[in-house]
Amino acid sequence: MIKSVESDASAVPEQMYSPGADERQLTKRSIVAGCLLGGVISCMNIYMGLKIGWSFGGSLIAAILGFGLFMALGRSLSVLECNITQTSGSAAGTMASAAGLLAAVPAMSLLGFEIPVPGLLLWGLSVAYLGVFFAVPLRRQMIEVDRLRFPTGTATAETILAMFAKAQEAVDKARALLWAGALAGAFTLITYFAPQLEMPPAQWLGVPALAAAAAWGFRIYFGPMLFGAGILIGPRVGASLALGAIVSWGLLGPWVQANGWAPGEVMSYTDGPRGWLLWPGVAIMVSEALTALALNWRTFVRTFRGHRILGSSESGSGRIPTAWWRNGLAAAAVGTIAAAWFLFDIPPHLTLLALVLSFALAAVAVRSTGETDINPVGGMGKVTQLAYGGLAPGSIGTNLMAAAITGAGASQAADMMQDLKTGRLLGASPRRQFIAQLWGIAAGVLFCVPAYLLVTAAYPLGGEQLPAPAAFSWKAMAELLTQGLGSLPPHAEAAVAAGCAFGALLAILRRIPALAPFLPSGLAVGIAFIVQAFYSLVIFFGSLALVAWQRISPSSAKKLSFAIASGLVAGEGLFGIFKAAMTLLGVPTL
């Protein structure tokens, strides 16, 4: 994502590029390249999302690598082919999140519920296709009538045109991304055989105070993925993570243990500080998300008042036929209802209600993304959890998976609209982009589901390798809504209340433009309460590296920071899956 901006239709060009009448667009090679690149990105997002609760879109990475790949092979690539590559790559890359593999599905696993592989594939395909079919009827209003900016989609169009204008610079970016990925991947594989290189034991340092701090997660950790993530997310979010780590693991956790409220081992979820800190962290995240959603009530009004929500103004061969998305939406809905019933025992009428709610909230998420580049998918899921807390008060599974339907619809619809915005600016055919999105979603599921199964088989959820903060957040919310305050550990009510107040205050103060740049991210602070401190600190150090790089060499930072950071994230993410496979195979370490 790029910096949030307000929508200004008059400042958004209708089209940046005029393609030739016979310019190549939907070709086999562009689809294959996008699906393969997006599939790799989806695997990267599985590994990273289960570590820190975040995932990144694949449009820019797919565009840069796709362009660089064809240049390296000596093949000419058209602007519209590059757009198809990024479209299918983006659709595939977002599947880790859209299929619920970072939150709802691992949350169910934490509750002891195992989903069979065919069921997981059916679930992932059904809920992810909901989003893309939701996006099609919303396209006319959001892109053509309101001409919302969709900052990431606009930036992707600008990047594609810049690459064709400065081909060598694009090749340099692709080369930097690949080199960074290769180095991160090599380091990841080496640390399998010598794990001390990744996290040196505290006793190596010979300082008793550092050994004591290590027990609370303040350890030295060399993680290319998290360092690269810090470069991507920037100093505000990085500093928010560091702040959350210091407050939770450095101050609140020791105080709670000393008072006997969480007397167990530090990292115990049952009776230790880690299980206690989970609750105020979740409270901060949920409160900020819901308050921000409530404060944006005008977005709800603009979405549904005085506009023609459904329809398309496209004509001729570029138009997406109404039958395509209507029949596709019906098939995805039937698949979702069947999967929810047979896998999770959710009655069809409750799933149908979730589908209706999903479309309504997807429309809001699309508008919010178009205006601010912020997809409030966390808030959307929590709205559904709150609703189903009353409709199905005794079923944690219904609460989680109904929210997963809403989250998938909102997430995928907004991400797909970014791609359709890119296509609009480049003069692409919506029908051909739609086909590319369908292929990309299928490829993403086929990549990320096996990656999820492999990683979670090798490492326990909630362990040092896979903290799964998003899953613990969703699980905690479901338990609270279905079991009441009895699910809280001793004396945690006050911490939850304080967390709610803090998160709400952040959302309110962020409405003041002069204060907004200096306020911490509630999501980041809350995540820092859940993951061990060293995760947050490495991301923070990555964000500091970006600041230093921008001051030392602004031009090279602007040119290469995204590529190098993406390479670090992708390298460890991809080779981390190989590392998990070696763990399962019992390959001996040194």
Side-chain angles (χ1 to χ4, degrees):
M1 296 293 181
I2 63 176
K3 185 178 179 181
S4 300
V5 294
E6 294 299 323
S7 176
D8 180 2
S10 63
V12 181
E14 185 70 13
Q15 196 166 318
M16 296 178 175
Y17 174 76
S18 298
D22 57 348
E23 183 168 328
R24 295 190 304 272
Q25 188 168 175
L26 184 69
T27 60
K28 290 182 180 179
R29 64 179 189 172
S30 62
I31 288 284
V32 170
C35 287
L36 290 176
L37 292 171
V40 171
I41 294 166
S42 72
C43 294
M44 168 198 82
N45 278 330
I46 287 288
Y47 193 74
M48 183 172 66
L50 291 175
K51 273 183 175 285
I52 62 171
W54 267 304
S55 62
F56 291 106
S59 55
L60 285 172
I61 300 177
I64 293 170
L65 283 183
F67 183 90
L69 173 66
F70 283 102
M71 288 287 290
L73 294 175
R75 306 283 185 179
S76 61
L77 183 72
S78 73
V79 168
L80 296 187
E81 276 186 303
C82 191
N83 177 56
I84 290 295
T85 296
Q86 74 84 18
T87 299
S88 52
S90 173
T94 57
M95 282 310 303
S97 174
L101 300 177
L102 306 183
V105 170
M108 291 292 285
S109 295
L110 290 170
L111 293 168
F113 192 96
E114 295 301 326
I115 306 172
V117 177
L120 200 56
L121 291 170
L122 172 62
W123 174 263
L125 286 170
S126 298
V127 297
Y129 276 121
L130 284 176
V132 71
F133 294 131
F134 285 161
V136 175
L138 296 172
R139 178 185 178 276
R140 176 184 178 274
Q141 183 65 48
M142 304 297 182
I143 292 180
E144 298 175 23
V145 177
D146 293 340
R147 292 178 62 191
L148 300 181
R149 186 183 295 272
F150 288 97
T152 292
T154 301
T156 302
E158 292 171 344
T159 299
I160 290 173
L161 294 177
M163 288 193 301
F164 280 85
K166 301 178 181 179
Q168 186 56 49
E169 182 175 313
V171 173
D172 291 341
K173 289 180 179 179
R175 185 180 293 116
L177 195 156
L178 291 173
W179 271 109
L183 291 174
F187 178 79
T188 301
L189 288 181
I190 291 172
T191 58
Y192 175 84
F193 298 101
Q196 298 86 354
L197 294 177
E198 183 177 37
M199 183 180 291
Q203 55 267 31
W204 282 13
L205 303 175
V207 181
L210 292 178
W216 291 93
F218 293 93
R219 307 170 65 180
I220 295 176
Y221 176 72
F222 298 104
M225 170 181 282
L226 302 187
F227 191 85
I231 297 175
L232 289 173
I233 65 179
R236 186 182 73 88
V237 177
S240 301
L241 284 162
L243 172 65
I246 293 169
V247 170
S248 58
W249 298 100
L251 300 175
L252 191 56
W255 183 71
V256 165
Q257 189 180 59
N259 279 277
W261 300 347
E265 295 292 329
V266 172
M267 297 301 165
S268 171
Y269 275 109
T270 55
D271 62 350
R274 188 175 195 179
W276 200 96
L277 291 171
L278 167 70
W279 292 97
V282 170
I284 294 170
M285 290 190 288
V286 172
S287 176
E288 186 195 42
L290 292 179
T291 304
L293 202 61
L295 292 174
N296 286 327
W297 60 270
R298 291 183 179 85
T299 300
F300 284 81
V301 174
R302 287 195 297 270
T303 302
F304 299 107
R305 185 183 67 187
H307 293 310
R308 181 186 175 194
I309 295 293
L310 305 180
S312 173
S313 66
E314 298 290 343
S315 60
S317 60
R319 183 180 65 86
I320 301 173
T322 301
W324 284 18
W325 69 264
R326 283 186 177 171
N327 294 338
L329 181 58
V334 170
T336 301
I337 291 171
W341 193 5
F342 290 110
L343 294 175
F344 310 113
D345 294 322
I346 302 176
H349 70 279
L350 289 181
T351 304
L352 186 61
L353 178 61
L355 291 171
V356 174
L357 188 59
S358 180
F359 176 75
L361 294 180
V364 177
V366 167
R367 176 167 286 278
S368 175
T369 303
E371 292 179 348
T372 69
D373 213 30
I374 298 172
N375 185 352
V377 62
M380 301 302 180
K382 296 302 180 287
V383 166
T384 308
Q385 284 194 280
L386 288 170
Y388 278 77
L391 293 171
S395 176
I396 295 179
T398 298
N399 187 286
L400 281 170
M401 302 317 293
I405 294 171
T406 300
S411 171
Q412 200 73 344
D415 288 335
M416 295 300 96
M417 200 68 76
Q418 297 270 28
D419 297 332
L420 292 172
K421 177 66 175 184
T422 302
R424 176 73 172 180
L425 294 173
L426 297 177
S429 161
R431 179 189 294 206
R432 291 170 181 172
Q433 275 195 282
F434 178 70
I435 294 171
Q437 289 171 338
L438 298 182
W439 279 105
I441 288 173
V445 170
L446 294 178
F447 272 87
C448 69
V449 168
Y452 171 80
L453 295 172
L454 177 62
V455 171
T456 53
Y459 309 120
L461 289 168
E464 192 170 277
Q465 288 286 343
L466 299 180
F472 276 96
S473 171
W474 280 53
K475 172 178 174 287
M477 185 72 175
E479 288 175 337
L480 183 63
L481 291 171
T482 56
Q483 299 174 8
L485 295 177
S487 60
L488 296 177
H491 303 285
E493 294 91 343
V496 169
C500 287
F502 179 68
L505 182 62
L506 285 178
I508 293 170
L509 293 178
R510 195 163 287 117
R511 308 287 289 185
I512 304 174
L515 291 179
F518 305 102
L519 293 173
S521 161
L523 174 65
V525 172
I527 284 178
F529 274 64
I530 302 173
V531 300
Q532 292 194 53
F534 62 82
Y535 283 108
S536 300
L537 294 180
V538 171
I539 297 175
F540 174 58
F541 295 144
S543 68
L544 289 183
L546 173 64
V547 173
W549 189 0
Q550 289 172 333
R551 291 184 178 179
I552 295 170
S553 179
S555 59
S556 66
K558 181 179 180 180
K559 176 182 175 182
L560 298 176
S561 61
F562 176 83
I564 290 178
S566 298
L568 293 175
V569 171
E572 183 181 343
L574 182 59
F575 281 85
I577 294 173
F578 287 113
K579 191 175 174 180
M582 291 192 293
T583 300
L584 286 175
L585 294 173
V587 177
T589 61
L590 297 180

